């Protein structure tokens, strides 16, 4: 089982942190589909230190989401430590995670995110400082390296362990790869064999069978799922069930998909406000609609939509359409 510090997860399936996606509305929904651990989207250390209003809202956690890991990012020790202390004392997160994988230039230019991957000594120094300053367990999420010529995954992971980090999530890509190419699972196996703290494998788990294969092939302690869960919390449920029973559950119906999409929308409205939530929900709705036959028209309409009622009507009309066509096929 996956255990981080003294927090025991009910299974090995972890929702990846995803900026612009993993707020409380989505996390709670995924949690209800059985995730052992959910991770929040990355939050800026400076935003926390300056008590930026938008950043403060990002720290909201519903008790029902727990156990939850809250991720911070930053490039300077002072602000990173201060932010970690704030999260430690003022939020109900169970774990404080440090981002060491974000590849975007806006972040790496500030010596944050994946930039750390070039310097195991800095990793040791920064992680130690955070660990010493807080009570909650500290973990790190990292990529395997900066580029093909700088893959320090083993050294970097060992630095995290020496510094008192309680677990690592490893995405088997370099910073330069961004999301291209295939995630390297061999490096996950190599890192697992070189540390004694739990390792969560990440990268290209697209099906429940992939999750099992990652656990079996790398020996990692948990499996982290990102893109495959977008608009698809069933991926989490089906993975949990597959790992538990070896049986593969069926895919949800269009009605089930849209019901959860609407629940997600309503939670987002409660969290933000209707205007912001509906705009944000457009991309999620497109993900929920993935694989639904003939969805182009409704996706276009959703992209123009500004109110909850309009979005819900579009989704319900589409379900009615699909169900009518299905009944015609059955009758015919
Ligand atoms: C939209 C999006 C946002 C992401 N934001 C974060 C983030 O805030 N923090 C982080 O550590 N990784 C972030 N990632 C990386 C994912 O956590 C994960 O490592 C990556 O998607 C690979 O896993 P996957 O193949 O299961 O998607 C993000 C990925 C995506 C697609």
């Amino acid at each position: 089982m996956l255990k981080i510090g003294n927090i025991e997860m009910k299974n090995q399936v972890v929702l990846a942190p995803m900026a612009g996606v993993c707020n409380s509305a989505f996390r709670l929904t995924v949690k209800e589909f059985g995730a052992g651990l959910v991770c929040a989207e990355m939050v800026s250390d400076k935003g926390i230190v300056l008590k930026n209003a938008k950043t403060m809202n990002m720290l909201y956690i519903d008790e029902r989401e727990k156990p939850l890991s809250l991720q911070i990012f930053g490039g300077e020790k002072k602000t990173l430590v201060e932010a970690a202390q704030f999260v430690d004392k003022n939020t109900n997160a169970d774990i404080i995670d440090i981002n060491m994988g974000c590849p975007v230039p806006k972040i790496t230019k500030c010596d944050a995110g994946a930039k750390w991957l070039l310097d195991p000594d800095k990793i040791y120094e920064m992680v130690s400082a955070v660990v010493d300053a807080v009570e909650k367990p500290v973990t790190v999420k990292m990529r395997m390296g900066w580029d093909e010529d700088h893959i320090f995954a083993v050294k970097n992971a060992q630095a995290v362990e020496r510094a008192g980090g309680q677990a690592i999530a490893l995405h088997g890509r370099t910073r330069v790869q961004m999301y291209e190419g295939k995630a390297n699972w061999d490096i996950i196996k190599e890192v697992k064999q070189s540390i004694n703290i739990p390792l969560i494998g990440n990268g290209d788990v697209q099906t429940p069978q992939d999750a099992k294969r990652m656990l079996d092939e790398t020996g990692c302690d948990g499996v982290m799922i990102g893109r495959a869960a977008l608009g698809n919390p069933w991926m989490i449920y089906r993975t949990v069930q597959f790992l538990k029973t070896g049986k593969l559950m069926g895919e949800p119906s269009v009605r089930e998909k849209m019901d959860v999409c609407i629940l997600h929308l309503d939670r987002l409205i409660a969290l933000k406000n209707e205007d912001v939530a509906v705009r944000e929900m457009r991309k999620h709705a497109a993900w929920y609609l993935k694989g639904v036959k003939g969805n182009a028209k409704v996706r276009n309409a959703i992209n123009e939509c500004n109110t909850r009622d309009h979005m819900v009507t579009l989704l319900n009309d589409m379900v009615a359409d699909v169900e009518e066509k299905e009944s015609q096929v059955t009758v015919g």
Side-chain angles (χ1 to χ4, degrees):
M1 230 4 84
L2 179 60
K3 192 173 175 200
I4 299 176
N6 57 7
I7 298 150
E8 215 164 316
M9 282 15 105
K10 63 180 179 187
N11 59 56
Q12 296 169 290
V13 182
V14 180
L15 172 69
M18 288 184 281
V21 174
C22 292
N23 50 43
S24 177
F26 184 59
R27 294 186 315 243
L28 177 57
T29 306
V30 169
K31 186 70 181 202
E32 289 169 345
F33 277 81
L37 176 67
V38 293
C39 298
E41 58 190 327
M42 62 180 192
V43 184
S44 150
D45 63 344
K46 295 218 161 57
I48 294 175
V49 170
L50 296 171
K51 310 272 186 312
N52 173 289
K54 222 169 145 192
T55 310
M56 290 295 115
N57 288 339
M58 290 169 86
L59 301 180
Y60 173 74
I61 298 161
D62 186 309
E63 274 294 309
R64 291 169 294 173
E65 296 174 47
K66 285 158 73 66
L68 174 136
S69 164
L70 197 144
Q71 187 184 70
I72 54 174
F73 71 91
E76 278 174 47
K77 190 156 60 174
K78 186 171 177 291
T79 45
L80 196 73
V81 166
E82 268 180 59
Q85 283 174 322
F86 186 88
V87 173
D88 196 48
K89 293 278 169 288
N90 300 287
T91 75
N92 48 348
D94 299 277
I95 295 166
I96 300 174
D97 187 51
I98 302 175
N99 181 304
M100 225 190 277
C102 184
V104 303
K106 199 174 103 183
I107 305 293
T108 56
K109 259 194 269 168
C110 305
D111 285 335
K115 192 65 191 287
W116 294 28
L117 299 170
L118 289 165
D119 189 351
D121 292 339
K122 173 168 178 169
I123 292 175
Y124 175 77
E125 190 190 328
M126 300 284 267
V127 177
S128 300
V130 173
V131 167
D132 289 347
V134 301
E135 278 170 23
K136 296 184 199 280
V138 175
T139 60
V140 166
K141 174 156 179 284
M142 56 163 74
R143 286 184 176 238
M144 68 174 175
W146 181 261
D147 59 20
E148 275 302 303
D149 299 325
H150 300 86
I151 297 182
F152 304 151
V154 167
K155 268 192 181 161
N156 289 343
Q158 287 172 338
V160 171
E161 180 170 19
R162 255 187 303 120
Q166 305 260 18
I168 294 170
L170 179 61
H171 177 193
R173 281 193 177 81
T174 62
R175 182 263 168 182
V176 166
Q177 274 182 292
M178 304 294 268
Y179 292 93
E180 301 295 319
K182 216 173 135 215
N184 178 342
W185 290 7
D186 292 338
I187 197 90
I188 297 174
K189 182 176 180 180
E190 202 183 324
V191 169
K192 169 63 196 166
Q193 287 169 355
S194 67
I195 55 172
N196 297 304
I197 52 175
L199 182 71
I200 300 167
N202 172 237
D204 295 349
V205 173
Q206 279 151 5
T207 62
Q209 296 96 314
D210 287 344
K212 174 149 178 30
R213 206 163 46 77
M214 178 182 273
L215 289 165
D216 290 346
E217 287 178 11
T218 70
C220 62
D221 304 277
V223 57
M224 180 178 270
I225 299 171
R227 289 165 296 173
L230 295 173
N232 189 11
W234 292 269
M235 170 61 187
I236 300 292
Y237 176 71
R238 294 173 74 239
T239 301
V240 170
Q241 292 304 316
F242 186 68
L243 294 178
K244 200 156 96 184
T245 66
K247 289 200 186 101
L248 198 57
M249 314 291 287
E251 296 277 0
S253 67
V254 177
R255 174 79 271 163
E256 285 170 308
K257 281 189 180 187
M258 294 314 123
D259 284 349
V260 172
C261 181
I262 294 166
L263 171 71
H264 184 172
L265 167 65
D266 285 336
R267 285 183 170 157
L268 211 50
I269 291 171
L271 196 65
K272 306 205 168 181
N273 62 51
E274 180 168 354
D275 193 42
V276 175
V278 168
R279 262 183 289 126
E280 207 173 300
M281 199 60 201
R282 291 172 184 168
K283 68 178 182 218
H284 289 283
W287 288 323
Y288 281 97
L289 284 162
K290 222 172 132 189
V292 175
K293 256 197 213 151
N295 69 24
K297 210 168 118 200
V298 65
R299 268 197 297 138
N300 289 339
I302 280 171
N303 273 335
E304 308 275 300
C305 145
N306 292 310
T307 65
R308 183 223 179 245
D309 287 352
H310 187 200
M311 192 175 274
V312 170
T313 304
L314 288 168
L315 294 171
N316 281 334
D317 287 354
M318 192 226 34
V319 175
D321 242 30
V322 170
E323 286 177 346
E324 196 188 318
K325 278 188 193 126
E326 279 172 1
S327 74
Q328 282 166 0
V329 172
T330 318
V331 172

